[in-house]
Amino acid sequence: MKPEIRQTITDAFNAAVATSPYVDEVVPGIVTQDGGAVTRRDLAAAWLQDDAFFAHIDNAMANGKTLDQVIDKFRRGINTSIVPRG
């Protein structure tokens, strides 16, 4: 993946995290090594530090997804609550 594409993804994900009202929701079923809660913010930050995450995006783009589609999917996801209603 070209460094400028990686930076575009990083910037877009960080911007989406910064504006999401749901970013501090705890992700069910995921904990830290010491058993602490993991928020969606924590998860996004971890992804952006993981070369395998970028390889996954690179693969998706090699198989027809556009960069805009990848970013849009994340934006829609981070702006949707994962807490069950009712």
Side-chain angles (χ1 to χ4, degrees), residues 51-73:
D51 289 335
F53 172 72
F54 288 99
H56 177 74
I57 292 175
D58 209 25
N59 186 50
M61 290 171 45
N63 286 299
K65 296 288 183 190
T66 67
L67 182 56
D68 286 339
Q69 287 172 319
V70 169
I71 291 169
D72 184 58
K73 183 175 181 178

Side-chain angles (χ1 to χ4, degrees), residues 14-69:
N14 283 331
V17 165
T19 60
S20 173
Y22 305 109
V23 74
D24 291 315
E25 289 181 338
V26 172
V27 180
I30 300 178
V31 296
T32 63
Q33 289 182 336
D34 62 357
V38 173
T39 66
R40 297 171 84 187
R41 180 188 310 273
D42 298 331
L43 195 56
W47 288 343
L48 294 174
Q49 298 300 314
D50 187 355
D51 289 335
F53 172 72
F54 288 99
H56 177 74
I57 292 175
D58 209 25
N59 186 50
M61 290 171 45
N63 286 299
K65 296 288 183 190
T66 67
L67 182 56
D68 286 339
Q69 287 172 319

